[in-house]
Amino acid sequence: MLDDDAARLQARGYRLTGPRRVIIAALRDAGRYCTASQLYERLRGRSVGLASVYRTLELLADLGLAERRAEAGGEGSFLYCSPRHHHHVVCTGCGTVREIDACPGDDLARAVERETDFRIDRHKLDFYGVCAGCRTTG
Amino acid sequence: MLDDDAARLQARGYRLTGPRRVIIAALRDAGRYCTASQLYERLRGRSVGLASVYRTLELLADLGLAERRAEAGGEGSFLYCSPRHHHHVVCTGCGTVREIDACPGDDLARAVERETDFRIDRHKLDFYGVCAGCRTTG
DNA sequence: AGTCGCATTGACATCGATTCTCAATACGCA
DNA sequence: TGCGTATTGAGAATCGATGTCAATGCGACT
Ligand SMILES: [Zn+2]
Ligand SMILES: [Zn+2]
Ligand SMILES: [Zn+2]
Ligand SMILES: [Zn+2]
């Protein structure tokens, strides 16, 4: 877990507890979307309760340090997100997610404002494709 | 419900039933993300079962005619999507969603390919802001 | 380092959204 | 119009997610 994440927690008055450290580190290291039960399994033996996994994921989503996604048939899953503005590239083969800096920027947002008469505040952009590893393997 | 949607269903061998027509029309007309129970309420008296609402939403998502979203604390919700490539503008005030043509295009996708060594197939882009109505009202 | 207040935790109970089951129905086709 | 089968509605069943609560441990202040 990075100091930056710790700072974010404490800046909002949350305590930096053992379970939180471990859960956040696990989500970070996963480098992909994880469900609560997946993280819970990965942390067996570290005495972390499933409820705490749910609570911490919820907290991270609230702090902007994680992004929630809808699964097709079942559980929700979370992806660790660094605090800066960024977008994602998702490998449809292995599930790996990488943060990227490429961004359509304000120009496109302004074009959208003209087209719709909305005032645009933010945007979300994800790319889907196949990573180098999956191309050679598969 | 549009003929285009009907054609998509039947092209995959699905039957064009009464409940499906009604549910799809309701989702289309909503112009926003809807939960299964919201649609079910809206269709009271039309003898459409909740299970059929769930099944039809799932089917639409599968056909690419609806997009699923994760809600914070509770139910999943679905948004009707036309078949062509497009993106969304979501009003954070009233929930209205509009489809737009603005798109970062292949240039950005190629930049991402160079940056990551992924082969990019598709992307998803949403803008969030406040619509004209919500600006004057609120 | 020691003390104290209270946020946080783990285990389990509970809730509720989604899926399953199955006999009855109604599409699509000849 | 008649048949075969996908689909439906209602209720049961599932299980992901949240609530409860006594025990714990973080962190602030000595
Ligand atoms: Zn891959
Ligand atoms: Zn951006
Ligand atoms: Zn609005
Ligand atoms: Zn696009």
Side-chain angles (χ1 to χ4, degrees):
Chain A
M1 160 170 211
L2 295 185
D3 293 340
D4 194 35
D5 299 336
R8 288 225 153 195
L9 276 182
Q10 297 184 310
R12 288 252 213 131
Y14 295 110
R15 292 185 181 172
L16 189 56
T17 67
R20 282 181 180 156
R21 286 173 195 273
V22 173
I23 294 165
I24 297 173
L27 182 62
R28 267 188 73 92
D29 295 348
R32 71 190 60 219
Y33 283 91
C34 298
T35 67
S37 50
Q38 282 171 348
L39 291 170
Y40 178 64
E41 285 304 322
R42 193 167 309 184
L43 297 176
R44 279 220 184 271
R46 299 251 233 152
S47 70
V48 172
L50 179 58
S52 290
V53 176
Y54 276 105
R55 286 184 290 233
T56 299
L57 290 175
E58 189 64 43
L59 176 61
L60 289 176
D62 214 51
L63 292 172
L65 290 174
E67 185 182 292
R68 192 196 318 263
R69 185 176 67 168
E71 294 276 324
E75 307 167 60
S77 55
F78 293 77
L79 174 69
Y80 178 87
C81 284
S82 62
R84 67 189 172 73
H85 181 75
H86 66 274
H87 299 297
H88 292 129
V89 184
V90 182
C91 177
T92 53
C94 62
T96 298
V97 178
R98 283 183 52 182
E99 296 191 353
I100 55 176
D101 295 319
C103 173
D106 292 331
D107 294 340
L108 192 59
R110 276 193 217 100
V112 172
E113 291 187 330
R114 284 194 299 274
E115 181 183 346
T116 61
D117 199 17
F118 275 54
R119 168 83 56 86
I120 304 300
D121 300 317
R122 62 196 173 81
H123 61 265
K124 209 175 124 179
L125 171 61
D126 300 295
F127 291 93
Y128 299 87
V130 184
C131 75
C134 285
R135 284 207 302 282
T136 55
T137 304
Chain B
M1 158 167 212
L2 295 185
D3 294 339
D4 195 34
D5 298 337
R8 288 224 154 196
L9 276 182
Q10 297 184 310
R12 289 252 214 130
Y14 295 109
R15 292 185 182 172
L16 188 55
T17 68
R20 281 181 181 156
R21 285 174 196 273
V22 174
I23 294 165
I24 296 173
L27 182 63
R28 265 189 75 91
D29 296 347
R32 72 189 58 222
Y33 284 90
C34 297
T35 66
S37 50
Q38 282 171 348
L39 291 170
Y40 178 65
E41 285 304 322
R42 193 167 309 186
L43 297 177
R44 278 221 184 270
R46 299 251 232 153
S47 71
V48 171
L50 179 59
S52 290
V53 176
Y54 276 105
R55 284 184 291 230
T56 299
L57 290 175
E58 189 63 43
L59 176 60
L60 289 176
D62 214 50
L63 293 171
L65 290 173
E67 186 182 293
R68 192 198 316 263
R69 185 175 68 168
E71 293 275 323
E75 309 166 59
S77 54
F78 292 78
L79 174 69
Y80 177 86
C81 284
S82 63
R84 67 189 173 73
H85 181 74
H86 66 273
H87 299 297
H88 292 128
V89 184
V90 183
C91 177
T92 53
C94 63
T96 298
V97 178
R98 284 183 49 181
E99 296 191 353
I100 56 175
D101 296 319
C103 173
D106 292 331
D107 294 341
L108 192 59
R110 277 193 216 101
V112 172
E113 291 187 330
R114 284 193 299 274
E115 181 183 347
T116 62
D117 199 18
F118 275 53
R119 168 84 55 89
I120 304 301
D121 300 316
R122 61 196 173 83
H123 60 266
K124 210 175 124 179
L125 171 61
D126 300 294
F127 291 92
Y128 299 87
V130 184
C131 75
C134 285
R135 285 206 302 282
T136 56
T137 304

